[in-house]
Amino acid sequence: TYGESLPGMVWKQQEILAWDVEEQHIPLARKVASLQIGVKTLLGIPLLHNNDTVGVLVFGLSKSKDKLGHLQAIFKGLKN
């Protein structure tokens, strides 16, 4: 749904967002599965064309959110 969960929030805000799997309100089954395979952070990146969101790219990462600064800087270039 628009504005809900990570892809919906990224779509609505048109900003790169990083969620800590353990801290966010992620459905329990997805949270357990993510943690079992080592995913600590979800990173959502808006894909924009002429300032309109046309998609959202979501990655599951094994690093904690506080160690993603360099990735967020790299991925900002994908927004446009």
Side-chain angles (χ1 to χ4, degrees):
T1 305
Y2 176 77
E4 293 181 16
S5 75
L6 181 61
M9 295 298 292
V10 170
W11 190 286
K12 183 177 180 180
Q13 296 178 22
Q14 295 186 336
E15 291 294 329
I16 296 172
L17 297 176
W19 280 11
D20 184 310
V21 170
E22 291 184 356
E23 293 178 7
Q24 294 299 322
H25 299 288
I26 299 169
L28 184 59
R30 288 185 184 162
K31 183 181 289 194
V32 169
S34 295
L35 293 171
Q36 284 177 338
I37 63 170
V39 172
K40 294 180 182 177
T41 303
L42 297 174
L43 183 66
I45 302 167
L47 303 175
L48 305 176
H49 177 71
N50 293 330
N51 291 323
D52 290 325
T53 304
V54 295
V56 175
L57 188 59
V58 178
F59 291 98
L61 304 166
S62 61
K63 295 186 183 281
S64 61
K65 185 170 80 170
D66 60 338
K67 297 183 180 180
L68 298 180
H70 67 289
L71 286 179
Q72 289 180 325
I74 292 170
F75 287 130
K76 280 190 187 237
L78 289 178
K79 283 178 53 178
N80 293 313

